[in-house]
Amino acid sequence: MLRVHFTAEDLARVTVATRLDPLWETMLGVQQLAYSVQVMPALQGWRRRARRVVGQGGPLGALRMLGALLPARGYFPDFLTPTAAEEGLEVGLEAIRGTPPRRLRDELVQLTESGPARRRSAPVWMRNLAGGDRDRMADLTSAIRTVHDSVIVPEWTEAEARRRGPRPACPDRAGRRSARAARFPRPARAVATARAARGLPRGP
C-alpha cells in the first residue's frame, strides 16, 4: 500500500504529461514481460504479441538483463528513467550514459540490498556497471534500445492514439490556482491512497 499526502499547494502544481516517455514505457514493459504480474485488460493484447516476439528469437537476452534491474515490485534504479527521455529515446539514453558514478553506484547498491534482489547476489556485469565500467553501460543502453525497438515501437502509434483520445479538460496553471483558492480557502491536506506495484514513491 502506497499512501501519498498532498497539500493544496501540491495539488496546484500537478501537471499531466503531454507525451509518452519511451524509457518509462520500456521499463514498465519489461516488468510485464519478465514476470507473471497482473496486467490491465487494455494491455493484454500487447503482452501476448510482445511475448510472441520474444519467443520467436526476439530480445530475450536484453529482456533478461533489464529484468535483473527491474524487479516485479519494489525499488528499481531511478537513473533508468531520466526526465530527459520526455524528449525522445536518444536523449534519454544519453542521460543514462551521463549518470554520475556515485549515483550509479548508490542506486545499484540500493537495488541489491532491497526487496527480492536481496536474496541473491548481484551478477558480475551489474557489479562492474556499479563500478563505472563503460562497456557494461554500453551493454545496458543497447539492451534498452533492443527491447524498445522490438516490443514498444510496434505499438507506439496505437498507444499515442489512446493518449490523444477524449479526456477531461486539464486546466492551465492559472486555472488550477483559481480552483485551488475556491476549494481550499485555508490550508488543507488531501490524502490519496493507491495500491502500487512499486514499494517506493517515484520522482516526477
Side-chain angles (χ1 to χ4, degrees), residues 33 50 53-65 143 146-148 150-151:
L33 294 174
V53 170
V54 174
Q56 294 173 347
L60 183 57
L63 190 64
R64 286 174 174 167
M65 182 180 195
T146 297
V147 172
H148 175 266
S150 299
V151 299

Side-chain angles (χ1 to χ4, degrees), residues 168-188:
C170 180
D172 58 19
R173 188 168 296 276
R176 288 197 303 275
R177 285 173 178 157
S178 297
R180 180 200 67 205
R183 190 171 181 181
F184 302 107
R186 59 180 182 273

Side-chain angles (χ1 to χ4, degrees), residues 15 17-24 81-89 91-92 156 204:
T15 59
T18 59
R19 67 185 75 181
L20 296 177
D21 184 310
L23 288 180
W24 268 109
T81 51
T83 56
E86 294 175 356
E87 301 302 321
L89 180 66
V91 179
W156 194 261

Side-chain angles (χ1 to χ4, degrees), residues 74-85:
Y75 175 79
F76 72 69
D78 286 303
F79 76 84
L80 293 172
T81 51
T83 56

Side-chain angles (χ1 to χ4, degrees), residues 71 73-75 110-120:
R73 62 182 60 200
Y75 175 79
Q110 182 174 346
L111 171 68
T112 58
E113 292 182 348
S114 64
R118 189 174 183 179
R119 296 192 294 269
R120 61 180 184 273

